[in-house]
Amino acid sequence: MLVNEELKTDAQVIKRDGRKVKFDPAKIYRAVYLALNNNGIDDHPFAMEAVRQILRSLPDGDLDIATIQTATENFLMSSKYPDVARAYIEYRHDRDIAREQNMDVTYSVGRLLKRDKTVVNENANKDSTVFNTQRDLTAGSVAKAYALRSMLPRAVANAHIKGEIHYHDLDYQPFQPMTNCCLIDIKGMLENGFQIGNARVESPRSINTATAQIAQIIANVASSQYGGCSVDRADEILAPYAQINFEKHMRDAKEWVEPERQEEYAWAKTKKDIYDAMQSLEYEINTLYTSNGQTPFVTLGFGLGTERLEREIQKAILQVRIKGIGRDCHTAIFPKLVFGLRRGVNLDPQDPNYDIKQLALECSAKRMYPDVLSYKRITELEGDYKAPMGCRSFLPKWVDPQTGEAVNAGRNNLGVVTLNVPRIAIEAHGEKDRFWRIFSERMEIMKEALFYRIKRCEEASTENAPILYKYGAFGKRVAENDTDVSQFFRNYRSTISIGYIGLYEAATCFYGPNWENNPEAKEFTLEIMQKLNDYATAWKQEAPYWFSIYSTPSESLTDRFCRLDQAKFGMIPHVTDKDYYTNSFHYDVRKKITPFEKIDFEAPYAAYTKGGFIHYCEYPKLTHNLQALEAVWDYAYDKVAYLGTNTPIDHCYECGFDGEFATTAEGFACPDCGNSDPATCDVVKRTCGYLGNPQKRPMVHGRHVEISNRVKHMDGPTR
């Protein structure tokens, strides 16, 4: 054990980015020990003696990184392990080169041209083989490199490159002052009209025109931001336009149909109009390409309307999805469907919309959507009911200070920065005090990154995205000469997200891989969430934005963080050796438990992560056992707010197989005939919050492994 004088406990280290942090001699030990291990040497006493000798050689007072590294190299070169010294020097050299390469435009574009899978498969919704996506990826590669070198604060850029944090969507922001995701004010836009380009669009006079306008709005909104967008309460919004159809058909019926059949005729025609309109919306969304080179990430929220037209719209949404897309009836990836459950509306057999719940169960078993929202739990957590923005980002209740009314439609999120929680746990080396000290240091960088995101968003002009700021998508319409966008964000109208990943791995570092039944371990993970909330509360006092804790989807980040930590710390059992980190607060995907146990385990976390979350359960094929799925939905209603259904819905068009495809090294194949041709098989997996088709648009390695490791939650516990 080193005495305090040797430890230099009062010294600080000046980082390359200019920050000062408390000097931690344990980092010298880990660097030396890792260098030894990489050369096949296990010599703990030598590593401890190295720390003592290096500390004695360091000058008094504050230190810089270069001085510490030089002292370490000098000691190793004069020791009995000179080969370790060379390995250490080469490692430092490689790290310096890697840091520079991340900020080099030529290198960044070169990775794209070489089809680096961590680049071209980063977003499973982008087809990297087509020109418009390639153009977007090229622009993104340039934007990332430029932002890291010349725009982001040095500490933020350095922490992102090292993998301590992740500044999301660097291919779009901060290079452009773009926002993330939103709840589009569709109701206001349809009622008041809007403009796209040179075309002034008036309020629609039929549900068919209304859905056509919604498709155009979605395309333009998705091209003006980089995250998901949602149409909330679609059934209730569209019902007035379906009523126009009905009234038109009634006028025709009165002219051409005998009186006793007029109502029947008008209703039959209206039902067809509704179905055709919802089918058209589904097809249009799935054939759209935004300027970002991808199908819009769009979510449709519905399910709470009880009037006849609202019910019919709900049925049509579900029937269209059940039928599938095209001649071969492929599963539609978008829009994501989110069905609201509410006691007294559709939850129980005596409720007026219980029949639609049964249709939703069938749809979920056949197409994996809809996911379900509990009206009770969403209202308890968020203050009022609304669908998520995109796949999982939620808004808290917000009352407009000018009108005194609660507003959701038109609000948005300004972006996400995610904390690598497993990295902190690894660096803590089993010491809780060290964990919280590193945690505190990282949160200071998180704060700098998030405040920079806000600042950059506010540097936009309303002219940059007219559909958002001038024509109603963000819920307000500015005057022609008003260029200030901050009015859309401030007074807590917008959220800014503190993301996190890997609670499972963090607890594993301290308590082992089977910690879920250990109350102390679970309390530790909840304490992490509470600490994140404490920071969010403090930052809200400093700036008029709603800082929210967000369970990051981590589509590619699950791979990136783990890959970087493998390179730095090696293969740590049940932490880095899996090739992925576990999303948010989810139970270890490799372990068999029942859906009810999984829901009970995860339920306490959502109260700490109100800015974004989703629970899901893995099932076997459910098409002939809807009662089992309904039992889980009903159980979850009082416990969790947002629940997804993961069930095998893969289909082979060569042999007719329906079910779950077998996992291969790079993708999936029909277990009956071996078919893996994207043209003749339909493979659908929940990538994160959204579904994806990994045969057509491959995902990163870590996500592929994580999906392959998922076990079903119907067979009972084996813990």
Side-chain angles (χ1 to χ4, degrees):
M1 183 66 67
L2 300 176
V3 297
N4 286 343
E5 288 74 19
E6 291 175 311
L7 286 171
K8 299 182 183 292
T9 52
D10 294 330
Q12 288 189 310
V13 176
I14 304 169
K15 306 281 281 186
R16 288 186 179 86
D17 53 42
R19 288 182 300 123
K20 285 187 176 183
V21 298
K22 185 178 177 64
F23 177 58
D24 184 1
K27 291 184 177 180
I28 298 176
Y29 170 83
R30 287 195 293 275
V32 172
Y33 192 72
L34 187 61
L36 290 168
N37 272 351
N38 289 341
N39 281 265
I41 302 168
D42 185 9
D43 193 341
H44 168 73
F46 175 83
M48 292 296 293
E49 181 60 27
V51 175
R52 291 189 178 92
Q53 296 299 329
I54 292 166
L55 289 176
R56 291 190 182 113
S57 70
L58 291 172
D60 294 332
D62 292 344
L63 303 164
D64 58 52
I65 295 293
T67 299
I68 298 171
Q69 287 181 356
T70 299
T72 304
E73 291 167 8
N74 289 339
F75 171 80
L76 290 173
M77 286 295 292
S78 62
S79 75
K80 60 182 178 180
Y81 297 126
D83 288 344
V84 174
R86 281 190 286 272
Y88 176 82
I89 293 168
E90 289 172 2
Y91 171 75
R92 298 308 318 174
H93 177 68
D94 291 345
R95 285 284 303 275
D96 291 340
I97 290 176
R99 186 180 297 108
E100 284 300 309
Q101 286 176 335
N102 274 281
M103 298 183 287
D104 183 79
V105 171
T106 302
Y107 176 78
S108 186
V109 174
R111 290 176 64 201
L112 176 61
L113 294 176
K114 293 175 183 176
R115 305 289 296 173
D116 185 326
K117 290 183 178 181
T118 64
V119 177
V120 298
N121 295 343
E122 184 179 29
N123 185 335
N125 188 40
K126 288 187 175 182
D127 183 354
S128 62
T129 61
V130 298
F131 285 144
N132 54 351
T133 305
Q134 290 176 358
R135 182 178 59 204
D136 178 72
L137 290 171
T138 303
S141 295
V142 174
K144 282 182 181 180
Y146 185 81
L148 287 168
R149 180 175 292 279
S150 303
M151 297 186 73
L152 287 177
R154 287 182 63 194
V156 173
N158 189 43
H160 173 90
I161 291 169
K162 291 195 294 185
E164 295 171 351
I165 69 168
H166 187 78
Y167 192 102
H168 286 263
D169 303 293
L170 266 171
D171 42 352
Y172 300 113
Q173 213 264 15
F175 193 80
Q176 297 289 349
M178 299 175 78
T179 55
N180 182 19
C181 53
C182 70
L183 279 182
I184 308 173
D185 184 13
I186 291 290
K187 184 175 185 292
M189 296 183 77
L190 294 183
E191 288 179 352
N192 301 311
F194 56 93
Q195 186 166 326
I196 294 178
N198 295 322
R200 172 69 191 178
V201 181
E202 301 301 327
S203 184
R205 301 300 300 162
S206 71
I207 188 172
N208 313 76
T209 305
T211 55
Q213 290 186 10
I214 288 173
Q216 289 301 310
I217 291 169
I218 288 168
N220 279 267
V221 168
S223 295
S224 299
Q225 57 176 31
Y226 53 81
C229 56
S230 294
V231 178
D232 194 18
R233 296 181 180 266
D235 49 335
E236 297 164 71
I237 288 172
L238 287 171
Y241 304 100
Q243 179 65 27
I244 296 173
N245 289 61
F246 178 75
E247 291 169 358
K248 174 185 178 297
H249 294 314
M250 277 298 295
R251 289 193 297 271
D252 292 342
K254 288 176 181 177
E255 183 173 355
W256 301 106
V257 179
E258 57 270 25
E260 63 272 16
R261 294 192 59 248
Q262 289 173 2
E263 171 83 14
E264 178 187 354
Y265 169 86
W267 180 240
K269 296 285 283 184
T270 303
K271 284 177 65 175
K272 185 178 186 309
D273 288 345
I274 290 171
Y275 183 89
D276 290 347
M278 301 320 301
Q279 184 179 57
S280 176
L281 180 61
E282 180 120 312
Y283 272 76
E284 287 196 53
I285 287 173
N286 281 277
T287 56
L288 283 174
Y289 262 112
T290 70
S291 62
N292 302 338
Q294 59 186 322
T295 306
F297 280 82
V298 60
T299 294
L300 218 59
F302 66 106
L304 299 184
T306 56
E307 299 297 325
R308 182 169 71 161
L309 289 167
E310 295 165 346
R311 282 172 44 82
E312 197 59 39
I313 292 167
Q314 294 174 36
K315 290 178 185 177
I317 292 171
L318 295 167
Q319 289 164 348
V320 166
R321 181 56 57 91
I322 289 171
K323 182 179 179 182
I325 290 282
R327 180 185 61 189
D328 292 328
C329 302
H330 286 263
T331 294
I333 301 301
F334 293 103
K336 174 184 171 78
L337 302 182
V338 177
F339 184 71
L341 291 174
R342 186 178 186 183
R343 185 165 281 118
V345 173
N346 54 22
L347 191 68
D348 302 313
Q350 68 272 18
D351 293 341
N353 284 10
Y354 184 70
D355 59 327
I356 302 179
K357 179 192 179 188
Q358 299 306 302
L359 190 61
L361 287 161
E362 178 189 352
C363 188
S364 193
K366 291 179 176 178
R367 301 296 185 183
M368 267 206 275
Y369 285 155
D371 294 340
V372 291
L373 289 177
S374 164
Y375 183 93
K376 175 186 176 183
R377 290 297 291 138
I378 283 289
T379 303
E380 289 171 350
L381 288 172
E382 307 293 349
D384 57 9
Y385 178 87
K386 78 279 290 179
M389 298 178 288
C391 79
R392 70 178 64 193
S393 183
F394 281 99
L395 291 161
K397 182 178 180 180
W398 180 76
V399 176
D400 189 330
Q402 295 182 332
T403 65
E405 296 180 357
V407 174
N408 287 313
R411 294 170 61 200
N412 74 316
N413 176 271
L414 300 181
V416 185
V417 180
T418 291
L419 180 68
N420 185 346
V421 181
R423 167 77 67 91
I424 301 173
I426 295 168
E427 292 177 332
H429 209 61
E431 298 180 28
K432 288 284 185 66
D433 288 345
R434 178 173 283 124
F435 176 90
W436 292 118
R437 184 168 70 247
I438 300 170
F439 183 90
S440 176
E441 292 173 1
R442 298 283 155 79
M443 289 306 292
E444 287 305 309
I445 303 174
M446 290 280 288
K447 178 182 179 181
E448 188 173 7
L450 289 162
F451 273 72
Y452 179 77
R453 285 204 95 114
I454 293 169
K455 173 179 175 291
R456 188 67 182 119
C457 284
E458 289 199 341
E459 290 173 354
S461 164
T462 56
E463 301 290 340
N464 295 142
I467 191 75
L468 305 181
Y469 303 115
K470 302 177 78 171
Y471 303 130
F474 276 2
K476 302 198 299 183
R477 302 181 187 223
V478 300
E480 191 60 36
N481 59 349
D482 188 350
T483 61
D484 179 23
V485 300
S486 67
Q487 60 193 291
F488 291 87
F489 311 146
R490 295 190 173 190
N491 295 318
Y492 308 100
R493 191 177 191 273
S494 287
T495 59
I496 180 85
S497 297
I498 303 168
Y500 69 97
I501 184 175
L503 290 188
Y504 168 77
E505 287 78 15
T508 296
C509 288
F510 287 94
Y511 298 96
N514 298 308
W515 60 264
E516 290 94 341
N517 286 327
N518 181 339
E520 181 184 345
K522 186 167 185 180
E523 186 57 36
F524 171 61
T525 62
L526 290 169
E527 187 179 3
I528 293 172
M529 302 306 301
Q530 182 60 63
K531 293 283 189 184
L532 291 172
N533 272 272
D534 291 344
Y535 279 100
T537 300
W539 297 344
K540 278 182 235 177
Q541 309 307 312
E542 297 183 36
Y545 299 89
W546 193 277
F547 289 86
S548 61
I549 310 304
Y550 179 72
S551 300
T552 306
S554 309
E555 177 187 335
S556 60
L557 189 57
T558 186
D559 175 279
R560 178 178 183 261
F561 273 169
C562 187
R563 181 164 30 86
L564 291 172
D565 288 351
Q566 281 179 350
K568 186 175 178 65
F569 304 105
M571 291 294 186
I572 303 171
H574 302 286
V575 180
T576 61
D577 68 341
K578 307 187 312 303
D579 288 347
Y580 65 87
Y581 282 161
T582 303
N583 270 26
S584 66
F585 51 68
H586 291 321
Y587 202 95
D588 181 4
V589 302
R590 302 169 297 173
K591 294 172 184 167
K592 282 189 177 181
I593 55 172
T594 68
F596 311 103
E597 290 174 307
K598 188 172 193 291
I599 287 165
D600 285 340
F601 176 84
E602 293 182 355
Y605 293 97
Y608 297 96
T609 182
K610 298 178 184 180
F613 57 90
I614 187 172
H615 309 261
Y616 69 87
C617 295
E618 296 282 339
Y619 306 95
K621 194 171 181 180
L622 286 170
T623 49
H624 300 296
N625 194 7
L626 299 184
Q627 296 89 344
L629 181 57
E630 183 173 20
V632 179
W633 284 12
D634 290 351
Y635 184 81
Y637 181 78
D638 293 309
K639 294 178 177 287
V640 299
Y642 189 20
L643 182 65
T645 299
N646 290 1
T647 186
I649 60 169
D650 304 332
H651 181 76
C652 177
Y653 292 96
E654 289 288 334
C655 70
F657 172 83
D658 270 311
E660 185 153 28
F661 273 30
T663 303
T664 65
E666 296 295 330
F668 301 88
C670 176
D672 281 3
C673 70
N675 177 32
S676 61
D677 183 355
T680 56
C681 61
D682 191 23
V683 180
V684 179
K685 307 294 179 185
R686 188 181 294 270
T687 308
C688 42
Y690 286 115
L691 303 184
N693 190 319
Q695 294 303 92
K696 292 184 173 68
R697 299 177 181 181
M699 59 191 72
V700 293
H701 170 72
R703 176 57 69 200
H704 177 71
V705 175
E706 187 269 335
I707 289 175
S708 301
N709 281 355
R710 295 175 187 174
V711 301
K712 306 306 178 200
H713 295 139
M714 295 297 289
D715 298 328
T718 58
R719 293 173 291 173

